[in-house]
Amino acid sequence: MTADAPLPARPATLEDVAAVAGVSRATVSRVINGATTVDPALRRMVEEAVDATGYVPNRAARSLVTRRTDSVALVVSERERRPVSEPFIGRMFSDPYFGRVVSGLLEVLRPAGIQLVLMLADDQSSRDQLLSYLRHGHVDGVVLISSHADDPLPGLLHDTRLPAVLAGEPRRPTPLTYVEADQRAGAQLAAEHLVSLGRRRIGTVSGPQDMPAGQARLTGFLDALSAHGIRDVTAVEGDFTHTGGAAAMKRLLEDRADLDAVFIASDLMALGALPVLLRAGKEIPDDIALVGFDDSSAATACDPPLTTVRQPVEEMSAEMARLLLKQIGSPGEPVPSAIFHPTLVRRRSA
């Protein structure tokens, strides 16, 4: 560097912000560290001074003061060695559900300056690594998507004492906050709709019966049909995947060729099942009325577009983020769980 070369501008400091705002350094520090007791007028003055000076907080130093990382983990827990038609990671990224979950979470987390860390747990080794990561304080809280009823992770997560919210009600007694859609009620909507169309020879491709959502959708559907005197219902278990839906639909037609209606427990499975029906010479909805579940992008990718039960995944995920931030901001205070109600979305398949 030559003698007459300009010196690089130094980064703005807390003192610079305080001088521009006309407040104390301590007030600036309280605003930047998220204190809720600062007068709103002072807060605005400090925020304007931050913008004017270009001050960038030292996140490492801030975390030493606040004991927060400004990040939360989205943990996806899957049954070890589930016999499914697609690998775990590939299935996760091909399923519209996960994209909708992330979208809903980010809607709340990004404006709050919170980063989202994706973590997978599908065997004992990955579960151990996850728990070690959480116990070492790398995140402020956890949103957990657990896919099977006997998953030990909710209980282990509770033992870490980290703020946590579950996607779905835990089947084992665990005092964790959860957000759930009423799965049984959603499946009942599908059954009532098919009955209202005059359909009586009804079958279903269920979700996996070791998954709470798969169990609830099947029992809700069968109970609603039984209330109408329809008890001869052929059910074939699927796996919530596109290719699994195609295979299950083929088996269902082999078992019951005279079907006039089918409830498929996820839109993604319905998208796989639809070509099987068309190749079998079935007109939709004239020969077979078809109802799915989720109201995901797969429903509108079907031809004809799929009548389906909508669970508001984005809204549910946004609520999970809000409940988690409440726990992080108010440690030890109880945060109630939330249950959302599904609706039927009518399109041209039924």
Side-chain angles (χ1 to χ4, degrees):
M1 181 181 292
T2 61
D4 57 352
L7 292 173
R10 66 175 177 80
T13 65
L14 283 178
E15 288 76 10
D16 297 330
V17 176
V20 171
V23 300
S24 69
R25 184 185 187 281
T27 297
V28 174
S29 178
R30 288 167 61 208
V31 170
I32 289 173
N33 288 322
T36 59
T37 56
V38 179
D39 180 82
L42 289 178
R43 181 180 298 279
R44 283 194 298 273
M45 292 168 59
V46 171
E47 291 170 346
E48 290 171 358
V50 168
D51 291 339
T53 60
Y55 174 73
V56 178
N58 183 325
R59 295 180 67 86
R62 181 183 174 210
S63 68
L64 290 175
V65 175
T66 64
R67 297 185 181 274
R68 295 184 187 171
T69 65
D70 288 338
S71 62
V72 300
L74 171 59
V75 177
V76 183
S77 178
E78 170 65 281
R79 175 180 290 281
E80 193 170 352
R81 292 182 296 276
R82 174 192 294 282
V84 296
S85 53
E86 298 174 20
F88 174 35
I89 294 177
R91 185 169 71 259
M92 186 181 71
F93 286 109
S94 66
D95 190 336
Y97 172 79
F98 293 101
R100 296 174 69 192
V101 168
V102 172
S103 176
L105 292 172
L106 292 180
E107 179 183 332
V108 174
L109 296 178
R110 288 181 68 180
I114 306 296
Q115 301 297 315
L116 187 65
V117 180
L118 176 63
M119 306 191 72
L120 311 179
D122 61 340
D123 57 28
Q124 187 61 48
S125 175
S126 61
R127 193 178 299 121
D128 291 342
Q129 291 174 4
L130 166 69
L131 291 171
S132 175
Y133 183 86
L134 298 179
R135 286 169 177 146
H136 280 83
H138 294 295
V139 295
D140 299 324
V142 176
V143 172
L144 174 62
I145 300 175
S146 178
S147 67
H148 54 283
D150 59 352
D151 189 352
L153 199 51
L156 295 171
L157 184 57
H158 176 256
D159 293 342
T160 69
R161 304 302 177 190
L162 266 177
V165 177
L166 305 186
E169 182 178 1
R171 295 310 185 257
R172 291 181 173 182
T174 305
L176 294 178
T177 299
Y178 64 87
V179 175
E180 174 71 288
D182 191 334
Q183 306 288 335
R184 286 178 57 92
Q188 288 167 356
L189 289 174
E192 296 290 344
H193 179 62
L194 292 174
V195 171
S196 75
L197 298 176
R199 308 296 171 125
R200 306 289 294 183
R201 302 186 305 278
I202 301 174
T204 181
V205 174
S206 76
Q209 291 305 289
D210 62 348
M211 293 178 63
Q215 296 168 0
R217 294 177 194 181
L218 179 60
T219 56
F221 185 68
L222 295 179
D223 287 349
L225 291 181
S226 180
H228 288 279
I230 302 174
R231 297 178 179 85
D232 182 18
V233 180
T234 303
V236 172
E237 185 175 356
D239 62 9
F240 283 154
T241 70
H242 180 277
T243 53
M249 190 70 248
K250 184 177 179 181
R251 296 198 306 273
L252 185 59
L253 286 178
E254 290 171 351
D255 291 343
R256 187 81 182 270
D258 67 339
L259 293 172
D260 63 5
V262 178
F263 168 54
I264 301 184
S266 81
D267 294 344
L268 195 60
M269 288 198 298
L271 184 60
L274 189 57
V276 176
L277 291 168
L278 297 177
R279 286 195 298 269
K282 305 293 185 181
E283 294 289 335
I284 310 297
D286 294 341
D287 297 328
I288 294 184
L290 199 61
V291 176
F293 199 109
D294 287 329
D295 194 30
S296 69
S297 58
T300 52
C302 289
D303 185 15
L306 188 66
T307 293
T308 187
V309 176
R310 181 177 190 271
Q311 57 172 343
V313 174
E314 291 86 354
E315 293 91 329
M316 292 163 60
S317 301
E319 183 66 8
M320 285 192 286
R322 283 189 285 267
L323 295 178
L324 185 62
L325 292 182
K326 285 182 181 179
Q327 291 185 40
I328 294 170
S330 303
E333 292 188 10
V335 176
S337 299
I339 298 178
F340 284 70
H341 299 287
T343 56
L344 184 74
V345 179
R346 293 194 61 176
R347 296 192 178 95
R348 292 193 284 116
S349 70

